[in-house]
Structures are given as C-alpha cells and as structure tokens.
Amino acid sequence: MIRQKITFLLFLMLLLSTSVFSQVKTTIVENVNATKAGLVHVLNRTGDTIILKSSSSIYRFSFLYHSQKESVLMDLDSKEAKIPLHHFEVGQYTVVAYREDAVYPISLNRVGAITKPIDAIADLEEDVLRASLSDDEQRKRNIKPRHNASSDTRLASVTNKSKEAAEAKEREQRALIKRAAEDAARKNQALAEAKQKEQEQRELIKKEAQEAARKEQAIAEAKEKEQRELIKKEAEAKSKQEHALVEANRAKAEREKAERQLAQIEANKQAIKERALAEKRREELRAIAEAERKEAEARIANVQTVATEDIKHEKKEVKYNISVIQDGSVEKQTREEYRKENLRPNGLPYED
C-alpha cells in the first residue's frame, strides 16, 4: 500500500513538473551529507550557474556526463566555486566536490538550453576561476581580471522605455524561473521525503523481517534445546536402566556366587562329616578287628598254653639229650650236669 502511494505521488509530481521543465534550465538534488559537512551546493537565480560554498577549501571538482561516460576534472583550491553551466549540454551529470575530509557527489540535471553570454570565455577553467576568485586572488594566480564595462554600442540606442520593458520582462522571467526552481525544489523535497519514507518503510520491513527471523531462530533454538534435553533425558534414562540392569545382573551374580559358596561350604561340611563318620567307622572296625585279633591271639595263646601244659606232662627225662627239638617236649640235661654225674668211657672222671 505504501509503495503504491509513493508511486502515485512520484507520478503526480512528474506530471506537475512537466509543465515547468520547459522554463527550468537546470535542477539539482541536495546531498544531505554534503550539507551537514558544510558544503553548500545551489543554483543561481537564473539556473545557469552552480554555486559551491564550503567551510573548508575545495581543492578540485569534476563533472561526469552520464550518457557519454566522459568527465571533466579541474583543480580549484578555493572555498567558493561558481561554475557556468553553458559549457555543458543538456543531460544528466554528477558533480563531485573534493575536499580534504571527503568526496561529495551531487546530482545535476541540465534540462533546458542556456544562452551563451556575448562575452563568454571559451575555456572552462579560466571561466570558472574568473567567476569564483576575487580580483586579488586572480592576480596571485597570474590571472588578469576582466572589467565589466561593456563597449557594446547597441546598449546606447536602447531607450528608457525599452529598458523598462526589458527589465520588466527580465523580472517576469526571473519570477518564472524562481517559481520553477521553487517547484523543482518542492518536487525534489517531495522526492526526498518519499525516498525517506520508502527508506523508513524498508527499514521497518527489514526490522520486522529481522525480528521475525530472530523469533524463528529463537523458536528453532528452543526446539533444538528441547530436543537436546529430551535426547539427554532419554539417554540418561537409558543409562540408568542399563546401569540398573548391570547392577541387577551383578547382584544376581553375587547371589549366585554366594549360593555356590554356601553350597560348597555345606558340601565341604557334609564331606567332613562323611569323612569323620567314615573315620569313626574305620576306627570302630579297627577296634573290632583289634578286639577280634586280641581275642584270637588270646584263644591261640590259651590253646598254646594248654598244649604246653599237655606237653609238659608228656616230657621224657633223658640224660644229656642234645636233641634239636625246641618245642619243650624234651627235658634236656646240660653237659656240665652230665659230666658231674657220669664218667668217661675209659672210666675216668671228666674233670681230669
């Protein structure tokens, strides 16, 4: 909607300006930055000269012709410049003022033809310097000042009436030019305001777009953060579940291990008991066997005793028995006893 209004306003201003363009010779668009920097750039009342006034020295200026891509460059080194525009044909130009601090471009539109003065100087540089510099400054630069006295004999023949008519016509022309310039200035102002509004609207749209982008980015970041938190929670829950499962498995393994150890202990106890019982049983068997052995030995001894007694009753008493029987059934006499009781076969005792 705003763009449509701006377009309609520009079209209306264009229609209004077409009626005065036939009277306007030149239009200029203000460079706001240049004005803020102390560079005045205006047209004279007749619109045939551009005037530059600066708070600091303008050391150079240039004219760039848009359609031909040609430029005119000239050194000036002055705080004021008056540039006659009859040197430039109709068309769009960019005038550039060069100062030490910055370069300031100014848009200029040559609309109507400008009558070349009778005493015009053909050289642009000389014309600009003579129009811009004072007589003293011209002398310093070795430029001989021109006198304004005219020797044109046609002026002597002009009557007072014709002079008044000419002056009235000139005043009317100047008023017309002034109105055209004012209209052009208003148009330029309206264009500038329209451009400013359009720029503000663009800035507003840009800010709204940036704000929307920031909101979308914030929403995206919030969603991403929420997603990260969800993933983190799921990972933590899964980790806890896995940890709980590991702990459960470890506890189960420890219980099974404890159960196996208890079973082993019980088995060991049972084995010890069984070994003790077996040992006790073996001791009992050994005791029984020992008792049986002793009983058998006793029976054998008893039998041997009885047999010995029986043998003793059956012993034969012999003299000097050297039998090898050693079971006690033979009562033996020693050799000494035999020699004491008996003689040698020759009849002699054994002691001799």
Side-chain angles (χ1 to χ4, degrees):
M1 187 65 183
I2 295 175
R3 290 180 179 273
Q4 292 177 354
K5 289 181 178 179
I6 293 173
T7 304
F8 178 74
L9 180 61
L10 293 175
F11 180 72
L12 181 60
M13 293 179 67
L14 180 62
L15 290 178
L16 292 174
S17 62
T18 53
S19 62
V20 299
F21 272 171
S22 59
Q23 302 296 331
V24 176
K25 300 176 182 179
T26 308
T27 60
I28 189 171
V29 179
E30 181 185 9
N31 184 330
V32 179
N33 294 328
T35 302
K36 290 180 180 179
L39 176 63
V40 178
H41 44 290
V42 295
L43 297 171
N44 65 347
R45 289 182 301 173
T46 57
D48 58 2
T49 302
I50 180 173
I51 301 173
L52 304 177
K53 292 184 179 181
S54 174
S55 57
S56 59
S57 179
I58 303 171
Y59 69 88
R60 181 180 299 167
F61 72 87
S62 66
F63 270 71
L64 174 63
Y65 191 15
H66 291 190
S67 62
Q68 297 181 5
K69 304 300 180 182
E70 294 180 356
S71 62
V72 175
L73 184 65
M74 174 181 167
D75 293 332
L76 181 63
D77 194 15
S78 176
K79 291 185 178 180
E80 182 176 357
K82 295 179 182 179
I83 307 171
L85 296 177
H86 65 83
H87 293 280
F88 303 95
E89 61 185 27
V90 174
Q92 291 283 345
Y93 292 86
T94 296
V95 183
V96 182
Y98 297 82
R99 297 197 319 187
E100 292 294 337
D101 57 345
V103 176
Y104 300 99
I106 302 165
S107 179
L108 185 73
N109 185 14
R110 285 282 294 104
V111 179
I114 298 176
T115 303
K116 187 177 181 181
I118 298 174
D119 58 348
I121 300 174
D123 184 68
L124 172 64
E125 183 174 359
E126 182 182 354
D127 200 4
V128 171
L129 292 176
R130 288 186 179 279
S132 303
L133 303 178
S134 64
D135 292 346
D136 292 337
E137 188 65 27
Q138 291 182 41
R139 291 188 185 95
K140 290 179 181 179
R141 301 194 187 189
N142 297 323
I143 301 174
K144 185 177 180 180
R146 297 178 66 188
H147 297 288
N148 294 325
S150 176
S151 59
D152 193 350
T153 58
R154 288 177 297 177
L155 295 176
S157 62
V158 178
T159 63
N160 293 332
K161 186 176 181 179
S162 61
K163 285 182 180 180
E164 292 176 357
E167 290 176 356
K169 185 176 181 180
E170 185 178 358
R171 285 194 299 270
E172 183 181 356
Q173 184 71 17
R174 288 178 179 177
L176 182 62
I177 292 173
K178 182 179 180 181
R179 287 195 298 271
E182 290 175 351
D183 291 339
R186 285 193 295 271
K187 182 197 72 170
N188 292 334
Q189 182 67 24
L191 286 173
E193 291 177 355
K195 289 182 179 179
Q196 181 67 24
K197 290 181 180 179
E198 184 179 3
Q199 183 65 26
E200 291 176 355
Q201 184 64 22
R202 288 179 180 175
E203 291 294 331
L204 180 60
I205 294 172
K206 183 179 179 181
K207 289 181 180 179
E208 291 177 352
Q210 291 176 350
E211 185 66 23
R214 283 194 295 269
K215 289 182 179 179
E216 291 179 357
Q217 184 177 2
I219 293 172
E221 290 177 353
K223 288 183 178 179
E224 185 179 359
K225 183 179 179 181
E226 182 180 358
Q227 186 67 20
R228 287 198 301 268
E229 292 293 333
L230 180 61
I231 293 173
K232 183 179 178 180
K233 289 181 180 179
E234 291 178 353
E236 289 177 352
K238 185 177 180 181
S239 177
K240 289 180 180 179
Q241 184 178 2
E242 292 177 351
H243 182 69
L245 182 60
V246 171
E247 288 295 326
N249 292 333
R250 185 181 62 79
K252 181 180 179 181
E254 290 180 353
R255 286 197 302 272
E256 291 177 352
K257 181 179 179 181
E259 290 175 358
R260 288 195 298 271
Q261 289 177 349
L262 290 174
Q264 185 64 36
I265 291 172
E266 291 296 328
N268 293 339
K269 288 181 178 179
Q270 186 65 27
I272 291 171
K273 288 180 179 180
E274 290 178 357
R275 284 198 298 272
L277 291 175
E279 186 65 25
K280 184 177 180 182
R281 181 64 179 168
R282 285 195 295 272
E283 290 295 332
E284 290 177 352
L285 292 175
R286 281 197 295 270
I288 293 172
E290 184 66 21
E292 290 178 352
R293 184 183 63 78
K294 288 182 178 180
E295 184 180 357
E297 288 179 353
R299 287 198 301 269
I300 292 171
N302 189 21
V303 171
Q304 288 179 351
T305 301
V306 173
T308 302
E309 289 177 355
D310 291 344
I311 290 171
K312 284 181 179 179
H313 290 297
E314 293 178 358
K315 282 184 179 179
K316 294 177 181 180
E317 187 176 352
V318 293
K319 300 299 184 180
Y320 190 54
N321 188 353
I322 57 175
S323 175
V324 295
I325 297 173
Q326 301 293 332
D327 59 1
S329 61
V330 179
E331 184 178 358
K332 295 182 179 180
Q333 186 180 28
T334 63
R335 184 175 181 183
E336 288 77 10
E337 290 175 350
Y338 178 80
R339 286 185 175 184
K340 286 177 179 180
E341 294 178 357
N342 297 293
L343 297 174
R344 294 176 182 266
N346 58 4
L348 294 174
Y350 281 93
E351 288 82 1
D352 294 337

